[in-house]
Amino acid sequence: MVAHEPDRKRAAEQETPPLKLNEILDGLATQRIGTKLHYFAELDSTNIFARRLAEQGAPAGEIVIAERQTRGRGRLGRSWVSPPFVNLYCSVVLRPRLFPKYVPQITLMAAVALAETVASFVPSGAAIKWPNDILVNGKKIAGILTEASWSSNHIEFVVLGIGVNLNFPAALMPEAIRQRATSLLIATGQTVQRETFLRRLIQDLDRCYGVLEESGFDALAPRWEARFDLRDRRVRVEIMDEVVFGAARGIDREGALIVERDDGELQRIIAGDVIPLED
Ligand code: BTN
């Protein structure tokens, strides 16, 4: 018998119960991240809630988690598909001592931590697609949305939003993302315990953020570079109404992608969509 769509969804939800917060927090000895968890069954967006917390003075390290988002946000004004109980949607309040122009380093730092966490669950490993995507087997498994508030030369706060597809079956993915998205379940054929994943992510973020605060991004750059999957690949970059063709060469200290254009000029890309082309 073929189950109706709502029945299938309900069945999938029952297989993955709500997060058990004690399994995330018990004995968690992190220094900076995970000082407090704000847990919700549903939010519009964890980034919106975390921003409100930060504006009200929440200290660095607090994490907002929702089982489901009704207006999950992605980069460049896109939405983030956020069905209940199968994935991870969280936002961390940070107060980095950085000049505002270095805010992209927070995304790069988080990409290292997130890619390392994902890689510890998938034998095929994880790659970073500039600036904020984590790929497994060439498909997107996780994304990062960093939003900052600053005044002149001082960052007030950063909200670091992270979405990871964990136990998200292909059958539940909207058609629009099915071809280019994946999940840990799809990549490994196994259900992951979401508490174990989140606990590991908090630990990896804590360590990477510690390195960034104490030694600067240069100390993390080799780990970012090692997972950068576009180095020297031919790419098309879409920037608003401009399109650039060239070879991706790496990133600079402000997190911009350096592309050697077909005319030989180096161009810094601050925001845009990078599409790898056949060599
Ligand atoms: C992207 O790849 O476009 C970024 C996706 C970021 C999604 C996460 S889910 C938790 C947090 N809350 C949001 O509304 N967005 C981020």
Side-chain angles (χ1 to χ4, degrees):
M1 196 179 94
V2 178
H4 292 297
E5 192 68 4
D7 294 342
R8 269 200 302 135
K9 283 189 177 153
R10 217 171 297 127
E13 285 163 19
Q14 278 161 7
E15 279 164 29
T16 51
L19 282 164
K20 297 178 200 70
L21 299 192
N22 61 320
E23 289 184 17
I24 300 163
L25 288 173
D26 283 356
L28 185 76
T30 49
Q31 308 281 311
R32 297 168 166 87
I33 314 279
T35 45
K36 188 171 180 184
L37 294 191
H38 301 259
Y39 172 82
F40 297 89
E42 178 179 303
L43 279 178
D44 46 3
S45 153
T46 56
N47 266 35
I48 294 175
F49 192 90
R51 170 177 279 273
R52 228 174 283 144
L53 277 184
E55 284 167 352
Q56 290 163 7
E62 296 197 358
I63 304 181
V64 179
I65 303 169
E67 294 286 14
R68 164 175 198 243
Q69 299 184 114
T70 53
R71 275 178 45 213
R73 303 202 301 210
R75 205 170 64 97
L76 305 175
R78 294 175 186 142
S79 59
W80 185 255
V81 179
S82 309
F85 300 115
V86 284
N87 294 329
L88 173 65
Y89 320 112
C90 66
S91 301
V92 188
V93 174
L94 297 173
R95 298 189 182 275
R97 295 185 302 271
L98 288 174
F99 288 117
K101 69 175 182 174
Y102 292 123
V103 165
Q105 290 185 352
I106 300 292
T107 308
L108 301 177
M109 173 284 297
V112 172
L114 184 52
E116 290 181 358
T117 306
V118 170
S120 71
F121 287 83
V122 199
S124 56
I128 298 172
K129 178 171 177 283
W130 181 91
N132 67 331
D133 294 354
I134 306 302
L135 308 184
V136 166
N137 302 328
K139 294 188 173 190
K140 181 159 172 172
I141 196 165
I144 300 164
L145 180 65
T146 306
E147 298 179 289
S149 169
W150 66 83
S151 54
S152 60
N153 65 350
H154 168 73
I155 297 177
E156 301 286 351
F157 62 82
V158 170
V159 169
L160 170 64
I162 295 178
V164 192
N165 295 337
L166 294 177
N167 298 318
F168 199 0
L172 281 192
M173 288 182 179
E175 191 65 42
I177 66 166
R178 204 174 292 159
Q179 292 308 313
R180 50 195 169 81
T182 190
S183 67
L184 275 191
L185 174 68
I186 295 169
T188 65
Q190 282 172 351
T191 303
V192 65
Q193 215 210 347
R194 294 186 304 145
E195 291 83 356
T196 312
F197 185 92
L198 178 54
R199 191 181 163 90
R200 176 71 193 255
L201 177 61
I202 294 172
Q203 288 166 333
D204 287 339
L205 277 172
D206 189 65
R207 275 191 288 265
C208 287
Y209 190 55
V211 173
L212 181 68
E213 286 230 305
E214 278 158 28
S215 312
F217 182 70
D218 288 350
L220 280 175
R223 284 157 71 182
W224 192 95
E225 294 280 346
R227 293 190 183 273
F228 177 46
D229 74 334
L230 291 179
R231 172 170 295 287
D232 299 333
R233 294 270 309 269
R234 217 178 126 59
V235 291
R236 184 177 86 228
V237 188
E238 296 172 351
I239 318 152
M240 310 281 270
D241 47 7
E242 189 193 353
V243 178
V244 169
F245 287 91
R249 296 298 184 211
I251 47 165
D252 67 14
R253 296 196 72 247
E254 288 164 35
L257 180 71
I258 308 299
V259 172
E260 185 178 340
R261 293 194 322 228
D262 288 352
D263 63 7
E265 291 289 313
L266 292 182
Q267 181 163 345
R268 295 179 74 239
I269 314 286
I270 294 164
D273 262 339
V274 184
I275 298 115
L277 302 173
E278 295 305 320
D279 292 315

